[in-house]
Amino acid sequence: MRQIPSVVKHVVHQDLCTGCGICTSFCNEKVIKMDWNSQGFLIPVQSGTCSQDNNCISVCPFNPFPEEKLKTETEISSLFLDTVSASNHKKLGNYFNTYAGYSIEHRMKSSSGGIATYVSKILLEKKIVKYIINVVESKEQNHHFSYTIGGSIEEVSKSAKTRYYPVTLENVFEKITSLDGDVAIVGIPCFIKAIRLAQIKNPDLRDKIKFTIGIICGGIKSKFFTEYLTQKAGVSSNKLSSIDYRIKDISSHAGDYSFGVKTTNSNDLHDIKMRTVGDMWGTGLFKANACDFCDDVSAELADISLGDAWIRPFVNDGQGTNVIITRTSLADQILQDGLKNDELHIEPIQKEEFIKSQKGSYTHRQDCLSYRIKLSDLKYLPPKRVKSKVLPPDVKIIQKLRRQTRLNSLTTWANTHDAEKFDAMMKPSLRKLRLITKFNHYKRGVVDKLKKL
Ligand SMILES: Cc1cc2nc3c(=O)[nH]c(=O)nc-3n(C[C@H](O)[C@H](O)[C@H](O)COP(=O)(O)OP(=O)(O)OC[C@H]3O[C@@H](n4cnc5c(N)ncnc54)[C@H](O)[C@@H]3O)c2cc1C
Ligand code: SF4
Ligand code: SF4
């Protein structure tokens, strides 16, 4: 009987893969490669005989059997970050400073405040690295976006904007050690964890990867999310020339952005305000299963972590503002220099403000994780840092409904590929979820008011 690679058996078959693709680079036999699954995610699939050396699983962020020194993000971070000079907070990890702000040059062409693009540019300009590995429009068939290796400021500028679409490091990661210079990588937290594990496994990568830019992440979306939004924007063709998930409305608030597409036939933009399609994030629609078992909200293993400032007063500004955590002295220096040179508009914020900006994510991902673990029938799961917590009945119902909504959305789209039918079929469960969530918000409001008395 053909042996199954450990990462496939213990991670992919448990539906805990987020598609980073780093396991494929570490497979000596080259018997796994990334491909689309039936739910619109990229996963490793087996194409030959596995030698059972377990190399693949040693770099997987969802490895259920990590060594003690690599048990969770907390242990891994102590191997990479300066734990002596940095502060530590249980929700933030090791950090130097927390800020909110934007890049004066890159803000308007970016998703949030443009700090990811700014930092990438500075790393190249100051020759701290020769290449930036980030996500751009794809030249590959069947992929709208993919990771690439770029070495020019022009390439970095073109890479701006967040893509809520499955991407993998599969094709670029193997090339890193043969490049004629050092690199920086932009990635979501689980990808950064895989990169750190790979750096431990291969010291050459530790030398070559000089900087990581962590993109704070509330969950990855299946490619079905893009297909659904494209239809909602009035486009039936799948021949798309450009996709923008975050078109800003500077006359409105930061959350009031649009999704827009152009087809290869014309230059007309077809767009739709995201608020008109309902809550795509809190409901769990089109989300990967693994994201419900991830407790790294703030990209704890990156040199710098960047997210959206979903807090007042910043959220009122439709031009977009980042929340920022610096975790190394180099990251902090880049920001301080940018401030001095009038290239950045940033201000320190309290760590509590940062946490508030990701409140929904912390509540769902950390406070409710032990309940989801209890609900699940997972045989293998990496160690998590959460304590068991008793949840009120309404929160338990919300968790159950989110789990159902997530799975239903993926199977319903796979069966219909039709936005109108999808909306009709998802309506009853989304309605239930909306009502109970409304009740929960009302209850929390009353409790908060009573606490202030
Ligand atoms: C899947 C996903 C979920 C997210 N969830 C949250 C959240 O819950 N809360 C929050 O505050 N912020 C979240 N973000 C981050 C947020 O959308 C912005 O990306 C972040 O604030 C950086 O903004 P910026 O203006 O500095 O980036 P920009 O200057 O616009 O640059 C974006 C950078 O990210 C890279 N990139 C684009 N797509 C991806 C991708 N899929 N994976 C890795 N790199 C990519 C680009 O190549 C570019 O380097 C999420 C991002 C992603 C990709
Ligand atoms: S998360 Fe990454 S390393 Fe783990 S199985 Fe998926 S592609 Fe491989
Ligand atoms: S929520 Fe966690 S597991 Fe999911 S994509 Fe984001 S970082 Fe990865």
Side-chain angles (χ1 to χ4, degrees), residues 173-192:
F173 209 71
E174 290 195 324
K175 295 181 187 149
I176 295 177
T177 46
S178 55
L179 288 171
D180 61 344
D182 294 332
V183 304
I185 309 185
V186 185
I188 53 176
C190 56
F191 281 35
I192 303 282

Side-chain angles (χ1 to χ4, degrees), residues 111-380:
S111 282
S112 194
I115 301 286
T117 306
Y118 175 80
V119 171
S120 303
K121 189 190 87 169
I122 295 296
L123 289 168
L124 287 180
E125 273 179 3
K126 298 212 157 146
K127 301 197 188 326
I128 296 164
V129 300
K130 196 165 177 187
Y131 300 100
I132 306 283
I133 298 184
N134 55 21
V135 177
V136 296
E137 285 183 358
S138 183
K139 293 186 184 80
E140 294 171 63
Q141 255 202 333
N142 284 331
H143 294 258
H144 289 305
F145 299 98
S146 56
Y147 263 101
T148 188
I149 304 174
S152 69
I153 308 284
E154 203 193 344
E155 283 169 313
V156 161
S157 300
K158 275 192 196 156
S159 76
K161 291 253 178 179
T162 305
R163 280 78 194 232
Y164 304 118
Y165 186 83
V167 287
T168 174
L169 283 158
E170 180 186 32
N171 293 329
V172 296
F173 209 71
E174 290 195 324
K175 295 181 187 149
I176 295 177
T177 46
S178 55
L179 288 171
D180 61 344
D182 294 332
V183 304
I185 309 185
V186 185
I188 53 176
C190 56
F191 281 35
I192 303 282
K193 183 176 174 188
I195 291 163
R196 294 306 195 195
L197 293 172
Q199 285 182 294
I200 287 164
K201 197 96 181 125
N202 179 353
D204 286 352
L205 287 169
R206 194 151 185 166
D207 287 345
K208 279 272 181 178
I209 303 170
K210 283 281 185 288
F211 200 90
T212 54
I213 299 176
I215 298 289
I216 289 169
C217 163
I220 46 160
K221 297 292 194 191
S222 154
K223 70 170 172 178
F224 295 169
F225 175 63
T226 302
E227 292 170 7
Y228 171 75
L229 290 179
T230 301
Q231 283 191 23
K232 292 296 279 185
V235 174
S236 53
S237 161
N238 57 6
K239 291 195 174 132
L240 308 178
S241 61
S242 75
I243 304 172
D244 191 340
Y245 297 88
R246 299 276 299 256
I247 302 173
K248 295 176 181 182
D249 181 348
I250 58 167
S251 66
S252 187
H253 59 89
D256 193 18
Y257 55 86
S258 301
F259 167 87
V261 283
K262 286 182 185 173
T263 64
T264 46
N265 300 334
S266 97
N267 204 30
D268 296 344
L269 176 74
H270 303 263
D271 60 343
I272 181 164
K273 281 268 186 189
M274 286 302 288
R275 66 176 144 78
T276 66
V277 293
D279 179 5
M280 285 277 147
W281 296 98
T283 51
L285 283 166
F286 301 112
K287 188 173 72 175
N289 184 51
C291 301
D292 269 347
F293 299 93
C294 161
D295 60 11
D296 182 359
V297 172
S298 67
E300 291 177 40
L301 300 176
D303 290 67
I304 190 168
S305 302
L306 303 169
D308 287 293
W310 299 128
I311 38 168
R312 285 200 202 111
F314 313 107
V315 72
N316 296 332
D317 186 342
Q319 295 174 91
T321 308
N322 284 111
V323 277
I324 309 161
I325 304 179
T326 54
R327 302 185 187 277
T328 57
S329 49
L330 173 58
D332 212 62
Q333 195 59 52
I334 291 174
L335 294 197
Q336 289 302 329
D337 290 348
L339 185 62
K340 249 187 252 149
N341 301 339
D342 290 332
E343 292 173 343
L344 293 181
H345 191 289
I346 52 166
E347 59 189 272
I349 55 166
Q350 298 290 324
K351 57 183 183 300
E352 291 76 15
E353 286 295 290
F354 174 86
I355 293 166
K356 206 165 146 194
S357 79
Q358 306 298 320
K359 189 168 185 284
S361 211
Y362 278 113
T363 307
H364 180 79
R365 308 256 298 284
Q366 297 190 347
D367 299 347
C368 301
L369 177 52
S370 64
Y371 181 66
R372 281 195 303 279
I373 293 174
K374 217 185 295 170
L375 276 186
S376 80
D377 52 3
L378 285 171
K379 247 165 87 188
Y380 309 103

Side-chain angles (χ1 to χ4, degrees), residues 7-8 11-12 16-24 34 42-44 56 59-62 194:
V7 88
V8 174
V11 180
V12 180
L16 285 182
C17 169
T18 51
C20 73
I22 294 188
C23 54
T24 63
M34 301 303 286
L42 289 167
I43 54 155
C56 55
V59 291
C60 178
F62 288 91

